Structure formats: C-alpha cells, structure tokens
Amino acid sequence: MSIPGARHAGAAKLHGPVPRRAVEIWAPTQNPESGRGLVAKALGIAPDKVRINLTRIGGGFGRRLMNDYMVQAAAIAARVPGTPVKLLYTRQDDFRRDFYRPAGWHAFAAALDGQGRLVGLRDHAVSFGKDGTPTRAGELPAALVPANLVDAVLLEQTLLATNLPAGWLRAPGSNALGFVSQAFLDEVAQAAGKDLPSLMLELLGAPRSLPGEGRGPVFQTGRARGVIEKVMAMADWQGRAKLPKGRGKGFAFYFSHAGYFAEVVEVSVSEGQVAVHEVWAAGDVGSQIVNPLNALHQVQGSVIEGLGQALAGQNVTQVAGVVEQQNFDAHPFQRIDATPKINVEFVTTDNPPTGLGEPALPPVIPAMVNAIFAATGRRVRSLPVDLSAPA
C-alpha cells in the first residue's frame, strides 16, 4: 500500500465546452505528464487542451504518481463549465481509494554442497497480475540478489487476478523482496554452519560487475562487499555472542535503486514484544554525498519507515470488495518512542552519485527479523511481525 500522507487534493476549471476549450488543473502531482494524458482521455480532448499547474504541497510518497484525483476533479469540472472545482479527500477517502502494495508469497528452496556452499536456489513467488504481467510492485526480477550469484537458479511466478488497484510502497518491490530473500538466506547460512555476512561475502567472491535487469544498473560485487565489511565493523558483529539472553543482532544486505546498503539491527524480545534498540547502516551511493545532512535524514527515515512497515501493524484487508482500514488507528505508523538509535556511515567509491530516497529501507526489515531469531530462536516468515501468532 502506498502510505497515505498529506491528503490528496486537486482543483480544476473548465474554460468552456469540453471539445473546444481547455481544462486547467492545479494539483500536487508527482507525474504531471501522465496526469495530462489521463485527463485528456477521460474528457475526450487532446492533451494540449489540458494545462497543469504543479503545486508543491504536502508529501508525495509515491501516491501522487497515480493522478486519479486529477481525473476526478476534471470530470466534475466538465459538468459545470466556467466554475472552479476543488476536490479534497477525507482521510477515509484517502485510505479506501488508495493503490495498495500487492501481497506476495514465496516458496524458497536451496541446495548446499559438501563444503556448505550455496550452489542452487529456487523461488516460486505468488502475487497479483493479469495475462502474464505482474501488477505494480509485484515483479520477481531475474537479477534478484542472490539469484545472480548462484549457478543453478529457478525463479517462477504465479499471478492471481485482483480487483484491488496496486501501487508502490517506499522502495517499490524491494521492501518485500529484501525481506524474503535475506531472511531466507539467514536460514541457509544457519544450515551451512555460518552467519549471513559470511555467506554473502562467499557468494560475492572477487570484485566484478554483473548485468542488471533490463535497463537497470549493473551490480558490482566489490561495492557490496565494501558495505558489508563496513557495517560488520560498525556494529561489532563479532561481539554479538556477548549479548544477554533475549537480545540479538541481525544482518541483511540489499541492492536497489543503484544503492548498496548493509544493515545490522539489535533487538530484545520480552513477552512477545519486540523492542529495537539500535541500527547500524552502511551505504555506498557513489563518490560524493552531495547533501550530507539530507543524506543522513534519508537513511534515518528509511530505517524508521521500514521498521514501521514490519512492526507497527500496517495491514490492509479487503472484505466484500471494501478496504476495512479507514484511518491511522487501524493502520498505525512507527512512533517516536519506538525509534532506535540509528548509526549511518557512507562508503565512498569511484562511481557517479546516485539517489538515496529508497535503497536504505529494504535491508532493515530482514535484519530486524534475523535479530528476532538470534534473540529467540524463532523465525519470522510473514509481515507485519506478530509473535503472538503460532510459529
């Protein structure tokens, strides 16, 4: 689900009969050209008859890529030519008319050789889509780490039809794929008699470049190795055995949006309640951190949001075609009192700078559930985390 942020608003005014005159729209859209096309199609006019005034109001968070609110405002304006129309969603409208991150199920299997090396990987993923095309954020990329690091790989996908509109949650697709792949690899590492960082470093091997998915960026194993080794030192990974009973550290790495991030999370678990105490994040987004303060805040915000996705109880349920959640009492965000200490360091490399809005989020979720296992011996295989449910 794309998290509802500031309420979505649009205003429109039709300057005359639809076929001959223009419609003018004021809206905080993240993708105005797409909105122009949707409005033109809905009103049966040429795109050059639609003028968009982009207002920089409130947060976007991906929800304002969809532009359905622009179409609604324009459709109302078409009924009352010459009269300005303002459309403002209530919070209930915002929740129940959203575009939701698709659910997914993954059946993993792995093969280890006699030396405990990962030599085979299989994932059968089930999500939503139609006619062989996954819905938004429902893709299973062939370049998914570690599939691109293992010789024998089988990735399969089954798609189910749905009437629920799908959209992006921060770090689209990767927020789920990072969780399932790195949490599973932690189980593989345990079966091989090693820890996850050691397994990842073994898979990465010598520094080299591997092709990305489609037009996606190449994957450089040396950059991945750099952030893994960095975060292990930051978090005193080798000293984790000294933690008291009921407390543990977990690790995860993920590559997305051209950024390399490795993270360690320390948690304690008492009477089924998870407390996150500290997070260490090491990232490589190129040769220069252009805005150091904003970069720090992007990583901190990603960590907080990722923990909220996993721990705060952010379910979306549909009954008889209607989404049940209507406000933040039923879909809570992570609160200040649950925010841990977050340590951030960047590994600079001789590569062009890339963005920071997404890649720091995916590793924090698997690192956190791997820490729960370290603290309790219990595996978490579904989100949101609910330790009151049967294992």
Side-chain angles (χ1 to χ4, degrees), residues 197 201 222 224-234 251 262 282 347:
L201 292 172
R225 175 179 290 274
V227 296
I228 290 173
E229 292 174 342
K230 180 67 172 180
V231 85
M232 290 172 67
M234 290 169 59
F251 163 91
V347 178

Side-chain angles (χ1 to χ4, degrees), residues 48-85:
D48 62 6
K49 296 291 185 181
V50 181
R51 177 175 178 176
I52 298 174
N53 301 282
L54 180 59
T55 59
R56 300 188 181 278
I57 300 173
F61 313 114
R63 173 62 178 90
R64 296 182 183 186
L65 291 167
M66 304 305 182
N67 295 314
D68 50 311
Y69 47 90
M70 292 174 61
V71 176
Q72 293 171 18
I76 297 169
R79 299 297 185 94
V80 287
T83 302
V85 170

Side-chain angles (χ1 to χ4, degrees), residues 160-185:
L160 306 177
T162 180
N163 65 346
L164 204 62
W168 297 286
L169 192 60
R170 189 177 187 182
S174 299
N175 46 40
L177 293 172
F179 160 59
V180 296
S181 61
Q182 288 287 294
F184 175 68
L185 280 189

